Amino acid sequence: MGFVAAAVAILAALLVLLVALVAYTAAVARRAQARVPPLGRFVDVDGARLHYVDRGRGPVVVLLHGLGGNLRNFHALIERLAPDHRVVALDRPGCGYSTTASAAQPDLFEQARIVAAFLRALDLRQPLVVGHSMGGALALALALDFPDHVGSLVLLSPASHEVREPPAPFKGLDVPSPVLRRVLAWTLATPLGQLAHERMLAAVFAPDAVTPGFDVEGGGALGARPGNFIAASADMVALPAALAAMAPRYPSLSLPVQVVFGRDDPICPLALHGLPLAAAVPGAALHLLDGGHMIPLTQADAVAALLRKAAAERREAATVRTPVANVVPA
């Protein structure tokens, strides 16, 4: 009886711990959503409900955020561009406040299909598409699979080529099993993430300092929600195979492409992503800035200037009409 009683006591203690972890995770998620509520509108497209902001008037710029992020990651660029551009930023499917009908996180190509449907729903015709980090990979997938939907690309610190080893700050997301991923999301991921939050941000922003107010203005607090862990883990696990499939297709891109990197980016190193991408895409321009991976925030003025120029070039190209040649009989 002693052994049975001990076993029952251990199981009861584990159950209490499990309930406590789930309750803590739910409470943290509620606090995060109270601090960082939705900013914009929602639209239902192709099996997804997408949260987006649509600001300003003028040349259209569409912003796609990176792994584990949300549209608030672009707040500094939105502020700088919206006075004379129409800036549309969306939470990628499964991220931020965007949801999908399926419980499974859509892969990169499925996300590209959803974003293409989003562009059609808002009647955004061949805009300048800007992608940061994994959002850069999504922008590339969109241009490859839906070339008539994209006018030009600006890729900020994009993930573009297969790398099997995840960046050090994201190794905790390397959970291939969907079941284990969900268990961790509702038990250990949030409390451990809270403990490592400041260290994680410092590693992602390195060598730059974390921008003030990132948790609220930049949406960083939403990373504590279990759904964010599930989506980010699924995205990261599936990304290498998607990039391996895409890389041989980069030479087929015929639209204007600009690649922008921080010289000291530790998350998507220039040598592994920026240089081979710029070499593979015909006519691609490579711009190097001081700093690391989070250049949409740490180098917002320089990035906004590049986007402003790219949008102007896109608008000028869209207005060009090929003249009809005068044919003189021989």
Side-chain angles (χ1 to χ4, degrees):
M1 288 296 292
F3 174 78
V4 173
V8 170
I10 291 172
L11 288 175
L14 289 174
L15 180 60
V16 170
L17 177 60
L18 180 63
V19 170
L21 288 171
V22 171
Y24 176 80
T25 297
V28 170
R30 287 193 299 271
R31 287 198 299 269
Q33 293 184 170
R35 293 178 69 198
V36 188
L39 279 178
R41 311 169 189 172
F42 290 86
V43 62
D44 294 316
V45 295
D46 213 6
R49 186 169 191 253
L50 299 181
H51 172 235
Y52 70 99
V53 296
D54 189 344
R55 304 268 176 86
R57 290 176 172 270
V60 180
V61 180
V62 175
L63 304 174
L64 303 175
H65 67 81
L67 181 73
N70 56 79
L71 62 82
R72 285 178 181 254
N73 294 170
F74 290 117
H75 73 89
L77 295 181
I78 294 171
E79 291 167 4
R80 286 160 172 77
L81 294 174
D84 51 4
H85 291 73
R86 181 182 177 188
V87 186
V88 180
L90 66 150
D91 287 335
R92 287 193 296 104
C95 303
Y97 285 99
S98 291
T99 58
T100 59
S102 171
Q105 175 70 357
D107 67 18
L108 196 67
F109 303 109
E110 291 169 332
Q111 291 186 40
R113 175 178 52 78
I114 292 169
V115 173
F118 171 81
L119 297 179
R120 293 193 298 270
L122 270 65
D123 196 28
L124 303 176
R125 303 181 183 183
Q126 295 192 322
L128 166 63
V129 175
V130 180
H132 174 239
S133 193
M134 183 178 167
L138 177 56
L140 285 164
L142 181 68
L144 288 167
D145 287 354
F146 300 92
D148 57 328
H149 285 55
V150 183
S152 58
L153 293 178
V154 175
L155 307 173
L156 309 175
S157 310
S160 61
H161 287 73
E162 179 185 17
V163 178
R164 301 306 303 183
E165 184 73 15
F170 299 134
K171 285 186 177 180
L173 297 172
D174 191 10
V175 185
S177 167
V179 174
L180 180 57
R181 190 181 294 147
R182 289 188 175 276
V183 170
L184 290 174
W186 280 100
T187 55
L188 296 175
T190 293
L192 293 178
Q194 293 286 284
L195 290 172
H197 182 62
E198 298 301 325
R199 187 169 67 254
M200 171 84 164
L201 286 184
V204 171
F205 273 82
D208 303 304
V210 179
T211 55
F214 176 74
D215 275 352
V216 175
E217 278 191 302
L222 292 180
R225 300 178 305 163
N228 192 85
F229 177 87
I230 292 168
S233 176
D235 280 340
M236 197 192 74
V237 170
L239 185 59
L243 294 177
M246 286 166 51
R249 301 173 60 194
Y250 294 155
S252 71
L253 291 168
S254 58
L255 75 172
V257 176
Q258 299 192 48
V259 182
V260 188
F261 262 84
R263 290 183 175 87
D264 300 310
D265 188 338
I267 305 299
C268 291
L270 175 66
L272 299 181
H273 298 277
L275 295 179
L277 177 62
V281 177
L286 177 62
H287 306 272
L288 300 182
L289 303 176
D290 292 334
H293 189 64
M294 297 300 288
I295 54 174
L297 289 166
T298 61
Q299 289 280 8
D301 288 334
V303 172
L306 286 169
L307 297 184
R308 196 177 297 279
K309 182 178 179 182
E313 292 170 350
R314 169 66 198 134
R315 189 173 193 177
E316 181 180 345
T319 60
V320 171
R321 297 291 182 269
T322 304
V324 177
N326 294 319
V327 179
V328 179

